Amino acid sequence: MNILVTGGAGYIGSHTCVELLNAGYDIVVMDNLYNSCEKSLEAVKKITGKDFPFYKCDMLDYEATEKIFKENKIDGVIHFAGLKAVGESCRIPLTYYHNNITGTLNLLDIMEKYNVFNMVFSSSATVYGSPKTVPIKEDFPLSTASPYGSTKLMIENILRDVYGANNKWSITLLRYFNPIGAHESGTMGEDPKGIPNNLLPYIAQVAVGRLECLSVFGNDYPTPDGTCVRDYIHVVDLAIGHVKTVDKKSNEPGVHIYNLGTGNGYSVLEVVKAFEDACGKPINFKIAPRRAGDIPECYADATKAKEELGWTAERDIAKMCEDNWRWQKLNPNGYNG
Ligand code: NAD
Ligand code: UD1
């Protein structure tokens, strides 16, 4: 089976390429390299010892995207490509809507034209908004608080409509919780541009000396230690979740929805401690005001993925931090070091 991986040079995409190739799938990768670089794909080839076609291509460019389907027999698409920074999406919403929505519409149109009715879409726990209770189940009410989140929810709805109009489609919406960690080879990992917004890359850059001090956003939340609780998941577990999805759902028409999380919540201070244990030195941090839009607690009920996909996350927080640290230590300036 030949899978087109859009956004395949990115953080989650590149790790998923490794797991797809290791599982025996063929892949074609497309990415415009806006938030990534080709070195991640060189790492994929080195780790797996396998080659695959790469198209440096923007999904907003209809003809260039169609060319991939003309030149390759594609059986299914894992659709990672998109812009993903919440804060930035509030500053340039039109860019986010255009890129994420128009790009996906192009892709869906081309897929129908080439009789490819099989898609796995990267959604996010952000579609649950501010949940009333935790753990979060797939049937919880949906809402969003940022243009980024809205693009995810809109695409989910578009995909539901696409299936409603043509029951040949097999669509899986994977709602990721907080992906962290890196491939254990230390050759692939997250490489954010500029100052990181997310917790783990920030901590890792403090540990390696690129940044001075972590601001812990709020310690007065109604949680055991007052800092926010999240469901951090190792990016390799997440990648394997995609392979299980393709294994199980490719030929099953419908709209399938799964939370991909561990089901465990860790506070910001617990993550700092786990990272200190992994890197063997203290992380300089200070308590800062709350960050607007943060919710106190967010973690998954991942039972459905376990029962229906046969998937559970296996790597614990110590392993996530250990692998994150190895990547950061060996590549202090990311792929461009
Ligand atoms: P990433 O930025 O590393 O990867 C996304 C890739 O898509 C990048 O390589 C980027 O260059 C590419 N891309 C963006 N717009 C494109 C376009 N128009 N045409 C072609 N390529 C384009 O991000 P990631 O963390 O790997 O996330 C992958 C997907 O998972 C995204 O859709 C993201 O919204 C979603 N997601 C990520 C997280 C997370 O915390 N990382 C959580 C939930 C959901
Ligand atoms: C963020 C996104 C969410 C996305 C998710 C995927 C926001 C508001 N939400 O979630 O849409 O799906 O990433 O990974 O951006 N923290 C600090 N100091 C920092 C950075 C973070 O204390 O410098 C805290 C945050 O307050 C939060 C926790 O660490 O409590 C995790 O933050 P982050 O990594 O940004 O992820 P989320 O906010 O959970």
Side-chain angles (χ1 to χ4, degrees), residues 81-108:
L83 298 175
K84 63 160 187 177
V86 174
E88 185 183 64
S89 79
C90 298
R91 290 192 297 279
I92 47 167
L94 293 181
T95 303
Y96 269 66
Y97 285 115
H98 187 50
N99 189 74
N100 293 3
I101 309 273
T102 314
T104 302
L105 293 178
N106 280 348
L107 188 62
L108 290 168

PDB file of all heavy atoms in Angstrom, residues 81-108:
ATOM      1  N   ALA A  81      -0.051  18.090   6.793  1.00  0.00           N
ATOM      2  CA  ALA A  81       0.362  19.444   6.392  1.00  0.00           C
ATOM      3  C   ALA A  81      -0.591  20.494   6.944  1.00  0.00           C
ATOM      4  O   ALA A  81      -1.809  20.365   6.825  1.00  0.00           O
ATOM      5  CB  ALA A  81       0.424  19.527   4.866  1.00  0.00           C
ATOM      6  N   GLY A  82      -0.017  21.497   7.546  1.00  0.00           N
ATOM      7  CA  GLY A  82      -0.830  22.588   8.071  1.00  0.00           C
ATOM      8  C   GLY A  82       0.018  23.498   8.922  1.00  0.00           C
ATOM      9  O   GLY A  82       1.140  23.146   9.303  1.00  0.00           O
ATOM     10  N   LEU A  83      -0.507  24.675   9.176  1.00  0.00           N
ATOM     11  CA  LEU A  83       0.151  25.602  10.109  1.00  0.00           C
ATOM     12  C   LEU A  83      -0.429  25.315  11.482  1.00  0.00           C
ATOM     13  O   LEU A  83      -1.616  25.027  11.614  1.00  0.00           O
ATOM     14  CB  LEU A  83      -0.126  27.045   9.686  1.00  0.00           C
ATOM     15  CG  LEU A  83       0.423  27.419   8.299  1.00  0.00           C
ATOM     16  CD1 LEU A  83      -0.019  28.833   7.915  1.00  0.00           C
ATOM     17  CD2 LEU A  83       1.940  27.293   8.264  1.00  0.00           C
ATOM     18  N   LYS A  84       0.403  25.459  12.550  1.00  0.00           N
ATOM     19  CA  LYS A  84      -0.053  24.897  13.829  1.00  0.00           C
ATOM     20  C   LYS A  84       0.185  25.759  15.067  1.00  0.00           C
ATOM     21  O   LYS A  84       0.001  25.280  16.181  1.00  0.00           O
ATOM     22  CB  LYS A  84       0.616  23.548  14.042  1.00  0.00           C
ATOM     23  CG  LYS A  84       2.130  23.645  14.167  1.00  0.00           C
ATOM     24  CD  LYS A  84       2.743  22.445  14.849  1.00  0.00           C
ATOM     25  CE  LYS A  84       4.207  22.652  15.117  1.00  0.00           C
ATOM     26  NZ  LYS A  84       4.852  21.583  15.828  1.00  0.00           N
ATOM     27  N   ALA A  85       0.623  27.004  14.888  1.00  0.00           N
ATOM     28  CA  ALA A  85       0.926  27.796  16.094  1.00  0.00           C
ATOM     29  C   ALA A  85      -0.294  28.618  16.524  1.00  0.00           C
ATOM     30  O   ALA A  85      -0.766  29.481  15.776  1.00  0.00           O
ATOM     31  CB  ALA A  85       2.120  28.697  15.840  1.00  0.00           C
ATOM     32  N   VAL A  86      -0.782  28.319  17.719  1.00  0.00           N
ATOM     33  CA  VAL A  86      -2.022  28.939  18.196  1.00  0.00           C
ATOM     34  C   VAL A  86      -1.917  30.475  18.224  1.00  0.00           C
ATOM     35  O   VAL A  86      -2.776  31.177  17.695  1.00  0.00           O
ATOM     36  CB  VAL A  86      -2.364  28.402  19.605  1.00  0.00           C
ATOM     37  CG1 VAL A  86      -3.554  29.129  20.200  1.00  0.00           C
ATOM     38  CG2 VAL A  86      -2.626  26.915  19.542  1.00  0.00           C
ATOM     39  N   GLY A  87      -0.843  30.979  18.837  1.00  0.00           N
ATOM     40  CA  GLY A  87      -0.688  32.437  18.966  1.00  0.00           C
ATOM     41  C   GLY A  87      -0.603  33.112  17.608  1.00  0.00           C
ATOM     42  O   GLY A  87      -1.269  34.125  17.348  1.00  0.00           O
ATOM     43  N   GLU A  88       0.192  32.531  16.722  1.00  0.00           N
ATOM     44  CA  GLU A  88       0.347  33.097  15.380  1.00  0.00           C
ATOM     45  C   GLU A  88      -0.989  33.106  14.641  1.00  0.00           C
ATOM     46  O   GLU A  88      -1.305  34.037  13.895  1.00  0.00           O
ATOM     47  CB  GLU A  88       1.384  32.274  14.609  1.00  0.00           C
ATOM     48  CG  GLU A  88       1.723  32.823  13.247  1.00  0.00           C
ATOM     49  CD  GLU A  88       2.717  31.925  12.495  1.00  0.00           C
ATOM     50  OE1 GLU A  88       2.369  30.752  12.183  1.00  0.00           O
ATOM     51  OE2 GLU A  88       3.816  32.391  12.202  1.00  0.00           O
ATOM     52  N   SER A  89      -1.785  32.068  14.872  1.00  0.00           N
ATOM     53  CA  SER A  89      -3.073  31.981  14.163  1.00  0.00           C
ATOM     54  C   SER A  89      -4.000  33.131  14.570  1.00  0.00           C
ATOM     55  O   SER A  89      -4.874  33.523  13.797  1.00  0.00           O
ATOM     56  CB  SER A  89      -3.739  30.624  14.402  1.00  0.00           C
ATOM     57  OG  SER A  89      -4.382  30.560  15.662  1.00  0.00           O
ATOM     58  N   CYS A  90      -3.810  33.656  15.776  1.00  0.00           N
ATOM     59  CA  CYS A  90      -4.631  34.806  16.203  1.00  0.00           C
ATOM     60  C   CYS A  90      -4.157  36.084  15.513  1.00  0.00           C
ATOM     61  O   CYS A  90      -4.947  36.990  15.283  1.00  0.00           O
ATOM     62  CB  CYS A  90      -4.552  34.985  17.725  1.00  0.00           C
ATOM     63  SG  CYS A  90      -5.186  33.575  18.640  1.00  0.00           S
ATOM     64  N   ARG A  91      -2.874  36.127  15.180  1.00  0.00           N
ATOM     65  CA  ARG A  91      -2.336  37.332  14.520  1.00  0.00           C
ATOM     66  C   ARG A  91      -2.601  37.320  13.024  1.00  0.00           C
ATOM     67  O   ARG A  91      -2.853  38.356  12.424  1.00  0.00           O
ATOM     68  CB  ARG A  91      -0.822  37.442  14.772  1.00  0.00           C
ATOM     69  CG  ARG A  91      -0.473  37.788  16.216  1.00  0.00           C
ATOM     70  CD  ARG A  91       0.990  38.169  16.360  1.00  0.00           C
ATOM     71  NE  ARG A  91       1.911  37.087  16.034  1.00  0.00           N
ATOM     72  CZ  ARG A  91       2.234  36.093  16.876  1.00  0.00           C
ATOM     73  NH1 ARG A  91       1.725  36.071  18.086  1.00  0.00           N
ATOM     74  NH2 ARG A  91       3.072  35.151  16.502  1.00  0.00           N
ATOM     75  N   ILE A  92      -2.533  36.147  12.387  1.00  0.00           N
ATOM     76  CA  ILE A  92      -2.731  36.077  10.921  1.00  0.00           C
ATOM     77  C   ILE A  92      -3.775  34.992  10.596  1.00  0.00           C
ATOM     78  O   ILE A  92      -3.464  33.994   9.935  1.00  0.00           O
ATOM     79  CB  ILE A  92      -1.393  35.827  10.173  1.00  0.00           C
ATOM     80  CG1 ILE A  92      -0.567  34.681  10.825  1.00  0.00           C
ATOM     81  CG2 ILE A  92      -0.554  37.076  10.112  1.00  0.00           C
ATOM     82  CD1 ILE A  92       0.591  34.194   9.946  1.00  0.00           C
ATOM     83  N   PRO A  93      -5.016  35.220  11.058  1.00  0.00           N
ATOM     84  CA  PRO A  93      -6.033  34.170  10.883  1.00  0.00           C
ATOM     85  C   PRO A  93      -6.280  33.804   9.423  1.00  0.00           C
ATOM     86  O   PRO A  93      -6.467  32.626   9.107  1.00  0.00           O
ATOM     87  CB  PRO A  93      -7.289  34.778  11.529  1.00  0.00           C
ATOM     88  CG  PRO A  93      -7.033  36.242  11.633  1.00  0.00           C
ATOM     89  CD  PRO A  93      -5.536  36.405  11.752  1.00  0.00           C
ATOM     90  N   LEU A  94      -6.263  34.805   8.537  1.00  0.00           N
ATOM     91  CA  LEU A  94      -6.600  34.490   7.139  1.00  0.00           C
ATOM     92  C   LEU A  94      -5.571  33.536   6.539  1.00  0.00           C
ATOM     93  O   LEU A  94      -5.919  32.644   5.767  1.00  0.00           O
ATOM     94  CB  LEU A  94      -6.693  35.770   6.306  1.00  0.00           C
ATOM     95  CG  LEU A  94      -7.862  36.687   6.667  1.00  0.00           C
ATOM     96  CD1 LEU A  94      -7.872  37.915   5.762  1.00  0.00           C
ATOM     97  CD2 LEU A  94      -9.194  35.941   6.560  1.00  0.00           C
ATOM     98  N   THR A  95      -4.319  33.748   6.909  1.00  0.00           N
ATOM     99  CA  THR A  95      -3.267  32.844   6.411  1.00  0.00           C
ATOM    100  C   THR A  95      -3.540  31.424   6.897  1.00  0.00           C
ATOM    101  O   THR A  95      -3.395  30.449   6.141  1.00  0.00           O
ATOM    102  CB  THR A  95      -1.886  33.323   6.930  1.00  0.00           C
ATOM    103  OG1 THR A  95      -1.709  34.665   6.511  1.00  0.00           O
ATOM    104  CG2 THR A  95      -0.767  32.457   6.407  1.00  0.00           C
ATOM    105  N   TYR A  96      -3.953  31.302   8.155  1.00  0.00           N
ATOM    106  CA  TYR A  96      -4.238  29.972   8.706  1.00  0.00           C
ATOM    107  C   TYR A  96      -5.433  29.328   8.017  1.00  0.00           C
ATOM    108  O   TYR A  96      -5.395  28.163   7.635  1.00  0.00           O
ATOM    109  CB  TYR A  96      -4.433  30.040  10.240  1.00  0.00           C
ATOM    110  CG  TYR A  96      -3.120  29.823  10.955  1.00  0.00           C
ATOM    111  CD1 TYR A  96      -2.094  30.762  10.840  1.00  0.00           C
ATOM    112  CD2 TYR A  96      -2.866  28.652  11.665  1.00  0.00           C
ATOM    113  CE1 TYR A  96      -0.859  30.548  11.441  1.00  0.00           C
ATOM    114  CE2 TYR A  96      -1.639  28.435  12.269  1.00  0.00           C
ATOM    115  CZ  TYR A  96      -0.640  29.381  12.156  1.00  0.00           C
ATOM    116  OH  TYR A  96       0.580  29.149  12.741  1.00  0.00           O
ATOM    117  N   TYR A  97      -6.532  30.106   7.876  1.00  0.00           N
ATOM    118  CA  TYR A  97      -7.718  29.527   7.222  1.00  0.00           C
ATOM    119  C   TYR A  97      -7.382  29.135   5.782  1.00  0.00           C
ATOM    120  O   TYR A  97      -7.755  28.059   5.322  1.00  0.00           O
ATOM    121  CB  TYR A  97      -8.894  30.511   7.267  1.00  0.00           C
ATOM    122  CG  TYR A  97      -9.522  30.594   8.647  1.00  0.00           C
ATOM    123  CD1 TYR A  97      -9.472  31.764   9.400  1.00  0.00           C
ATOM    124  CD2 TYR A  97     -10.143  29.487   9.213  1.00  0.00           C
ATOM    125  CE1 TYR A  97     -10.037  31.831  10.673  1.00  0.00           C
ATOM    126  CE2 TYR A  97     -10.705  29.531  10.479  1.00  0.00           C
ATOM    127  CZ  TYR A  97     -10.648  30.707  11.206  1.00  0.00           C
ATOM    128  OH  TYR A  97     -11.194  30.747  12.458  1.00  0.00           O
ATOM    129  N   HIS A  98      -6.666  30.022   5.089  1.00  0.00           N
ATOM    130  CA  HIS A  98      -6.374  29.750   3.688  1.00  0.00           C
ATOM    131  C   HIS A  98      -5.484  28.508   3.565  1.00  0.00           C
ATOM    132  O   HIS A  98      -5.794  27.584   2.808  1.00  0.00           O
ATOM    133  CB  HIS A  98      -5.706  30.977   3.058  1.00  0.00           C
ATOM    134  CG  HIS A  98      -5.509  30.853   1.584  1.00  0.00           C
ATOM    135  ND1 HIS A  98      -6.516  30.485   0.722  1.00  0.00           N
ATOM    136  CD2 HIS A  98      -4.413  31.031   0.814  1.00  0.00           C
ATOM    137  CE1 HIS A  98      -6.048  30.446  -0.509  1.00  0.00           C
ATOM    138  NE2 HIS A  98      -4.776  30.761  -0.476  1.00  0.00           N
ATOM    139  N   ASN A  99      -4.401  28.510   4.315  1.00  0.00           N
ATOM    140  CA  ASN A  99      -3.466  27.390   4.198  1.00  0.00           C
ATOM    141  C   ASN A  99      -4.141  26.064   4.583  1.00  0.00           C
ATOM    142  O   ASN A  99      -4.150  25.103   3.810  1.00  0.00           O
ATOM    143  CB  ASN A  99      -2.241  27.627   5.086  1.00  0.00           C
ATOM    144  CG  ASN A  99      -1.142  26.603   4.832  1.00  0.00           C
ATOM    145  OD1 ASN A  99      -0.455  26.650   3.813  1.00  0.00           O
ATOM    146  ND2 ASN A  99      -0.993  25.645   5.730  1.00  0.00           N
ATOM    147  N   ASN A 100      -4.694  26.032   5.775  1.00  0.00           N
ATOM    148  CA  ASN A 100      -5.190  24.742   6.292  1.00  0.00           C
ATOM    149  C   ASN A 100      -6.461  24.287   5.584  1.00  0.00           C
ATOM    150  O   ASN A 100      -6.600  23.107   5.242  1.00  0.00           O
ATOM    151  CB  ASN A 100      -5.415  24.830   7.805  1.00  0.00           C
ATOM    152  CG  ASN A 100      -4.106  25.009   8.576  1.00  0.00           C
ATOM    153  OD1 ASN A 100      -3.040  25.121   7.977  1.00  0.00           O
ATOM    154  ND2 ASN A 100      -4.177  25.054   9.890  1.00  0.00           N
ATOM    155  N   ILE A 101      -7.385  25.223   5.350  1.00  0.00           N
ATOM    156  CA  ILE A 101      -8.683  24.814   4.760  1.00  0.00           C
ATOM    157  C   ILE A 101      -8.563  24.688   3.239  1.00  0.00           C
ATOM    158  O   ILE A 101      -8.896  23.638   2.678  1.00  0.00           O
ATOM    159  CB  ILE A 101      -9.798  25.842   5.091  1.00  0.00           C
ATOM    160  CG1 ILE A 101      -9.843  26.133   6.589  1.00  0.00           C
ATOM    161  CG2 ILE A 101     -11.134  25.383   4.526  1.00  0.00           C
ATOM    162  CD1 ILE A 101     -10.663  25.237   7.424  1.00  0.00           C
ATOM    163  N   THR A 102      -8.085  25.738   2.585  1.00  0.00           N
ATOM    164  CA  THR A 102      -8.014  25.671   1.112  1.00  0.00           C
ATOM    165  C   THR A 102      -7.102  24.518   0.692  1.00  0.00           C
ATOM    166  O   THR A 102      -7.406  23.778  -0.244  1.00  0.00           O
ATOM    167  CB  THR A 102      -7.502  26.996   0.513  1.00  0.00           C
ATOM    168  OG1 THR A 102      -8.191  28.071   1.132  1.00  0.00           O
ATOM    169  CG2 THR A 102      -7.705  27.054  -0.990  1.00  0.00           C
ATOM    170  N   GLY A 103      -5.988  24.377   1.414  1.00  0.00           N
ATOM    171  CA  GLY A 103      -5.063  23.287   1.099  1.00  0.00           C
ATOM    172  C   GLY A 103      -5.757  21.933   1.195  1.00  0.00           C
ATOM    173  O   GLY A 103      -5.602  21.068   0.328  1.00  0.00           O
ATOM    174  N   THR A 104      -6.545  21.758   2.254  1.00  0.00           N
ATOM    175  CA  THR A 104      -7.245  20.473   2.436  1.00  0.00           C
ATOM    176  C   THR A 104      -8.313  20.286   1.354  1.00  0.00           C
ATOM    177  O   THR A 104      -8.504  19.177   0.844  1.00  0.00           O
ATOM    178  CB  THR A 104      -7.866  20.411   3.846  1.00  0.00           C
ATOM    179  OG1 THR A 104      -6.823  20.589   4.803  1.00  0.00           O
ATOM    180  CG2 THR A 104      -8.557  19.077   4.090  1.00  0.00           C
ATOM    181  N   LEU A 105      -9.005  21.366   0.987  1.00  0.00           N
ATOM    182  CA  LEU A 105     -10.025  21.251  -0.070  1.00  0.00           C
ATOM    183  C   LEU A 105      -9.384  20.818  -1.384  1.00  0.00           C
ATOM    184  O   LEU A 105      -9.918  19.952  -2.095  1.00  0.00           O
ATOM    185  CB  LEU A 105     -10.762  22.586  -0.250  1.00  0.00           C
ATOM    186  CG  LEU A 105     -11.647  23.039   0.925  1.00  0.00           C
ATOM    187  CD1 LEU A 105     -12.268  24.406   0.628  1.00  0.00           C
ATOM    188  CD2 LEU A 105     -12.743  22.019   1.231  1.00  0.00           C
ATOM    189  N   ASN A 106      -8.231  21.410  -1.702  1.00  0.00           N
ATOM    190  CA  ASN A 106      -7.512  20.995  -2.920  1.00  0.00           C
ATOM    191  C   ASN A 106      -7.220  19.497  -2.878  1.00  0.00           C
ATOM    192  O   ASN A 106      -7.489  18.764  -3.828  1.00  0.00           O
ATOM    193  CB  ASN A 106      -6.166  21.730  -3.024  1.00  0.00           C
ATOM    194  CG  ASN A 106      -6.320  23.141  -3.551  1.00  0.00           C
ATOM    195  OD1 ASN A 106      -7.379  23.511  -4.042  1.00  0.00           O
ATOM    196  ND2 ASN A 106      -5.263  23.921  -3.438  1.00  0.00           N
ATOM    197  N   LEU A 107      -6.678  19.094  -1.749  1.00  0.00           N
ATOM    198  CA  LEU A 107      -6.272  17.695  -1.597  1.00  0.00           C
ATOM    199  C   LEU A 107      -7.471  16.756  -1.759  1.00  0.00           C
ATOM    200  O   LEU A 107      -7.417  15.758  -2.491  1.00  0.00           O
ATOM    201  CB  LEU A 107      -5.640  17.549  -0.204  1.00  0.00           C
ATOM    202  CG  LEU A 107      -4.961  16.256   0.138  1.00  0.00           C
ATOM    203  CD1 LEU A 107      -3.768  16.002  -0.785  1.00  0.00           C
ATOM    204  CD2 LEU A 107      -4.458  16.318   1.599  1.00  0.00           C
ATOM    205  N   LEU A 108      -8.580  17.092  -1.111  1.00  0.00           N
ATOM    206  CA  LEU A 108      -9.764  16.224  -1.171  1.00  0.00           C
ATOM    207  C   LEU A 108     -10.303  16.149  -2.594  1.00  0.00           C
ATOM    208  O   LEU A 108     -10.708  15.082  -3.066  1.00  0.00           O
ATOM    209  CB  LEU A 108     -10.845  16.755  -0.221  1.00  0.00           C
ATOM    210  CG  LEU A 108     -10.523  16.605   1.271  1.00  0.00           C
ATOM    211  CD1 LEU A 108     -11.505  17.417   2.115  1.00  0.00           C
ATOM    212  CD2 LEU A 108     -10.553  15.131   1.691  1.00  0.00           C
TER     213      LEU A 108
END
